[in-house]
Amino acid sequence: MASDFTGGPGFLAFVVTFALVGAGVLLFLSLSRHLRKVRAQAAREAAEREAQAAASSPDDAVDDAVDEASSGDGEGRDGGGDEVTGEPGDR
């Protein structure tokens, strides 16, 4: 029984695989850099909001907290309830 097998996928397959791995590594590094930048920006914005809240009068801060806690949609503070728009019985 003679075999016609002459070798593996060859050098070209190695180059293509190496290029794909290299592209994946570069993509991962870029994603990490971008997420780090976004996380730092969010922290900066949160600090600015806290500074603005501290600068406002205490009565305004209490009123704002009450407004945020009761949005009036019956979903609670986070708005992540399971109410579906257009259900029978909606307001």
Side-chain angles (χ1 to χ4, degrees), residues 14 16 27 41 47 55 67 70-71 80 84:
F14 170 76
V16 169
L27 185 64
Q41 181 180 359
D67 289 342
S70 60
S71 62
V84 178

Side-chain angles (χ1 to χ4, degrees), residues 2-10:
S3 174
D4 292 331
F5 183 72
T6 59

Side-chain angles (χ1 to χ4, degrees), residues 49-50 53 60-83:
R49 272 188 254 117
E50 288 176 8
D60 291 341
V62 170
D63 291 340
D64 291 342
V66 170
D67 289 342
E68 286 179 13
S70 60
S71 62
D73 63 357
E75 302 258 342
R77 181 175 186 175
D78 63 352
D82 61 351
E83 187 175 324

Side-chain angles (χ1 to χ4, degrees), residues 5-70:
F5 183 72
T6 59
F11 180 72
L12 182 61
F14 170 76
V15 171
V16 169
T17 303
F18 190 79
L20 286 173
V21 169
V25 167
L26 291 175
L27 185 64
F28 175 75
L29 292 174
S30 174
L31 176 66
S32 297
R33 191 175 308 124
H34 179 70
L35 289 176
R36 194 176 313 120
K37 188 185 322 180
V38 168
R39 196 175 300 130
Q41 181 180 359
R44 234 184 347 265
E45 289 174 358
E48 289 174 5
R49 272 188 254 117
E50 288 176 8
Q52 288 175 352
S56 67
S57 70
D59 293 335
D60 291 341
V62 170
D63 291 340
D64 291 342
V66 170
D67 289 342
E68 286 179 13
S70 60

